[in-house]
Each structure stands twice: as structure tokens, then as C-alpha cells.
Amino acid sequence: MTSRLSRDARILFATRFLRLFAYGGLATVLLLHLAAAGMSERQAGLLLTAALLGDTAISLALTTAADRFGRRKTLLAGAVLMLLAGAVFAVTANPVILLLAAIVGVISPSGSEVGPFIAVEQASLAEVSLEADRTAILSWYNLTGSVGTALGSLAAGLAVKFLEASGLPAAEAYRSIVVAYGACGVVLGLLFLLLRRNVEPCAPAPTAPLFLGLHKSRAVVFRLSALFALDGFGGAFVLQAVVAYWFHVRHGVPEATLGAIFFGANLLAGLSGLVASRIAKRFGLINTMVFTHLPSNVLLILVPFMPTPALAVAVLLARFSLSQMDVPTRQAFMFSVVDADERSAAAGVTGVARTTGAALAPVFVGPLLASPALAGVPFFVAGALKIAYDLLLYRSFRRVHPPGLKA
């Protein structure tokens, strides 16, 4: 696969890895960092919602203009906002300032993508790759991110353990991870400066009127967006930061062990994407998206029923081994049914829809986590909503056939 990647594609793979490494490390300690700063579960839930809503607004503004403003400029702007958020979260515990930084900056409470990056990077990869290779390349791109998240989670857990063993208070150990997150924004910006014009859209300017950067593909993009919003809403009940906090409080799992758990979970998730590209060639993109996602959501519902932490971790890992098979397939499906000059906007609008749905959930999660009797409810809600998404997706798109691909 690496022999088929251009210089610009390799840079985008590197930025994907570094960014997800930072996201994974931050998500492992973010709620612990906020708790050490004196925030209650309800306040933290509101802050996470603000972070996701802010990322939604930033993503919508940047990605819908990226194909005309410039993809490289858009990515650089995202890196600056990531640095901004990390710097503010590291230097202050003032809830009002943190709230503003969460809204304006780019910060990931989930360990997964936020901000304008993924939409523009994927559109750029589609520009520099052949359509026949697209699902496989996106699978490797997603695996790169999953490995980054996994290693970031592991590194954060080990770093906190080492710093505490060296005599540093837990609050300062958590702060060091936030500082490293902001530093990753600087390195990202430097890497984005190395990209060439190859990543920019080569299609002529559209003659049809634009809305959110879209013209001919509005209908299909809006249908996908509604479904992705439902999936995002369900998934945000079990953000990595939430699951890490639940294991820490419910089962007393230490930070270093949490890092190891999410290292394995994210690695399994990334590997599942590689399997998905092969399954899709035989059974089609939509079938792969739906029928691998359904059992993963059943497993998610089962996690809080497990009587021991070992069993709960085992079921969680089994869930992650299936949970990401729909990701490269839905990305390939979307890029195949929109025009080249709509790809950043399409990825951005659907991504914003997902983030918008996700942004609503933490408001409900905070009170649930604050009650020991209700702490397992987020797993049930997430699984049920994501199953509904799978069924609606299959009903809506099972007869849609992308050109040159098996739907």
C-alpha cells in the first residue's frame, strides 16, 4: 500500500497519526484533569458539550469553504485552533475561560476526530488517489489514526503513572498531557506547510449555486447527514473520556491500565477497518457498513452487565474489533456519490452533523455519571440509538449504487 501513496498522501498519513495520538492522550485524562481542577460532573458535561458544539461551528465554517479557500490553508487554521485550546486548558482552571476555549478552539474529549481536519484530509486523499484504491487507502488512513489514538492513550496513562511516581501531584501530571496536546498543534502546522498544490481540487468552479459548498449532491449529503447525526448522538454517550471515567469510578481501574485498555481498543478498531475493505469488495459498501455495525452495538449494551472489570474490558474490546468497519466504507461511499469539488464540503457537512448530534449527549451523560445507579445507562442508550441508525441507513441507501463500486 505504501508504494501507492504519493508524497502528499504520506504527509497526510503522518498528520493523521500525530493528531490522533494527541487526541487519544487527552481523552484518557481530560475528565480527570477537569475534576482535579475542581469541576463537578455536571459542569464537565456542559464543557464537553461546548467543546463539541464549538468544533461543529468551526468545522462547518472551514470545511464548506475549503475547496475554494484552499485545503492547505484550512488545515493550517485548524492546527492553530488546536494549539489555542491546548494552551488555555493547560494554564487556567477558570470555568468561563475554559468554556470559551472549548467553543473557539479544537479539543477532542472523545479520542476521535474533531475540527476541520478529517474532512479536508480525506478530500485531499481522494484527490491524489485512484477510485479503485480509495476504500483501501481510507482503511489504512483510519488504521493510522486508530494506532495513533491507541498509542496516545497508552502514552498518556504511562506518563501520568511515571510523573506521579516521581512525586508530581496528579493534577500537574494531567496538566502535562494537556501541554503536550497543544504542542502537537504546532507540529501539525509545520507538516501542513509541506503539502503541495496536488491536494487542492482540480475540478472547474461550479456553475450551479452553492449552499454549504454543495451543488448537485445536496440531497444525498443531507440524507446522510441526518443519519450521521443520529449515530453521533448515540456514540457521544460513550465517548472515550466517559468510558475511561466509568471504568475508573465503577471498577477502580488506574490511569495506566486505562491507557493500556484504550491502546488495545483503538488498535482493534483500526485493524477492523482493513478487514472492512475486503468485505466490501465482496458484499458491498452498505451491507458492510450495516451488518458489521449491528453486533458491535449489541456488545456495547452488554458492557455494564459484566460482573467483573476483566469481563467488561473483554466485551469492550470485542465491540471495538467490529465498531469501525463502517468508517472507511461510508467514507468511500460518500466520496463516490459526490463531485470532486464537493468532497471537502460533503465530508464537512456530514462530519458537522455527526458532531452536532454528539454535542447534545454530554449534557445528559454528566448527571447519569453522577448517580452510581444510573452510570451504566449511557451504554444502553448509545447501543439502542446506534442500532436504529444502522437500520435506517440500510433502508435509505441499500438500492443506491455508486459509479464503479458495489453498493
Side-chain angles (χ1 to χ4, degrees):
M1 174 56 65
T2 54
S3 62
R4 286 183 278 177
L5 294 178
S6 67
R7 172 185 174 275
D8 293 304
R10 291 169 190 261
I11 292 173
L12 292 171
F13 270 60
T15 57
R16 166 77 167 171
F17 174 84
L18 176 62
R19 187 171 61 256
L20 271 293
F21 181 89
Y23 288 170
L26 182 70
T28 302
V29 303
L30 180 58
L31 277 178
L32 299 173
H33 171 67
L34 295 176
M39 277 196 177
S40 68
E41 288 89 347
R42 291 176 185 271
Q43 289 176 319
L46 289 171
L47 186 67
L48 296 188
T49 290
L52 292 170
L53 284 173
D55 290 333
T56 298
I58 293 295
S59 296
L60 186 63
L62 293 177
T63 57
T64 55
D67 288 338
R68 277 150 289 282
F69 173 69
R71 290 173 179 170
R72 291 170 295 174
K73 293 178 183 177
T74 303
L75 291 169
L76 186 59
V80 172
L81 293 174
M82 181 176 170
L83 168 62
L84 171 67
V88 174
F89 270 69
V91 301
T92 183
N94 185 301
V96 176
I97 297 176
L98 289 176
L99 183 66
L100 292 174
I103 294 171
V104 176
V106 172
I107 198 158
S108 175
S110 63
S112 57
E113 283 283 10
V114 293
F117 301 107
I118 188 170
V120 181
E121 284 186 352
Q122 288 175 345
S124 301
L125 283 172
E127 205 70 47
V128 297
S129 63
L130 298 175
E131 187 165 1
D133 295 333
R134 195 168 294 150
T135 303
I137 288 175
L138 288 170
S139 296
W140 281 99
Y141 171 82
N142 288 312
L143 174 61
T144 300
S146 295
V147 172
T149 306
L151 290 174
S153 299
L154 181 64
L158 293 176
V160 168
K161 181 180 179 180
F162 172 78
L163 292 171
E164 288 181 334
S166 301
L168 200 67
E172 293 302 316
Y174 302 148
R175 191 188 308 276
S176 68
I177 305 301
V178 180
V179 171
Y181 175 86
C184 285
V186 176
V187 181
L188 275 180
L190 295 175
L191 289 172
F192 289 138
L193 289 173
L194 298 177
L195 292 171
R196 298 175 297 186
R197 288 193 57 82
N198 302 40
V199 303
E200 306 292 350
C202 58
T207 56
L210 295 174
F211 179 68
L212 297 177
L214 302 167
H215 45 95
K216 292 191 295 186
S217 306
R218 290 179 199 168
V220 67
V221 170
F222 290 161
R223 287 165 65 195
L224 286 169
S225 296
L227 291 168
F228 291 174
L230 175 62
D231 186 43
F233 180 66
F237 277 84
V238 286
L239 297 173
Q240 180 170 314
V242 172
V243 177
Y245 187 78
W246 182 83
F247 270 101
H248 184 70
V249 172
R250 170 74 180 272
H251 293 294
V253 179
E255 294 90 345
T257 305
L258 287 173
I261 290 170
F262 287 106
F263 169 79
N266 287 293
L267 193 58
L268 285 171
L271 291 172
S272 72
L274 296 184
V275 178
S277 66
R278 299 192 177 191
I279 296 174
K281 288 182 180 179
R282 180 171 181 181
F283 297 105
L285 295 172
I286 295 297
N287 288 335
T288 304
M289 290 161 67
V290 172
F291 294 109
T292 60
H293 208 225
L294 280 170
S296 78
N297 296 323
V298 174
L299 290 168
L300 180 62
I301 293 172
L302 294 177
V303 170
F305 286 107
M306 297 299 104
T308 67
L311 286 174
V313 169
V315 173
L316 182 72
L317 293 178
R319 185 257 173 176
F320 269 91
S321 70
L322 297 171
S323 65
Q324 297 299 300
M325 287 190 182
D326 70 313
V327 175
T329 44
R330 74 167 180 248
Q331 292 163 351
F333 178 82
M334 180 179 63
F335 287 134
S336 298
V337 295
V338 303
D339 287 356
D341 63 329
E342 297 178 282
R343 285 173 178 158
S344 291
V349 169
T350 54
V352 162
R354 178 180 293 278
T355 306
T356 301
L360 302 175
V363 174
F364 304 100
V365 174
L368 293 173
L369 291 178
S371 170
L374 300 176
V377 171
F379 293 89
F380 309 147
V381 176
L385 290 174
K386 291 169 81 65
I387 287 171
Y389 154 77
D390 291 327
L391 298 177
L392 289 170
L393 178 71
Y394 184 73
R395 179 181 178 183
S396 298
F397 289 99
R398 69 184 186 276
R399 292 191 177 92
V400 176
H401 301 286
L405 291 176
K406 188 174 183 179

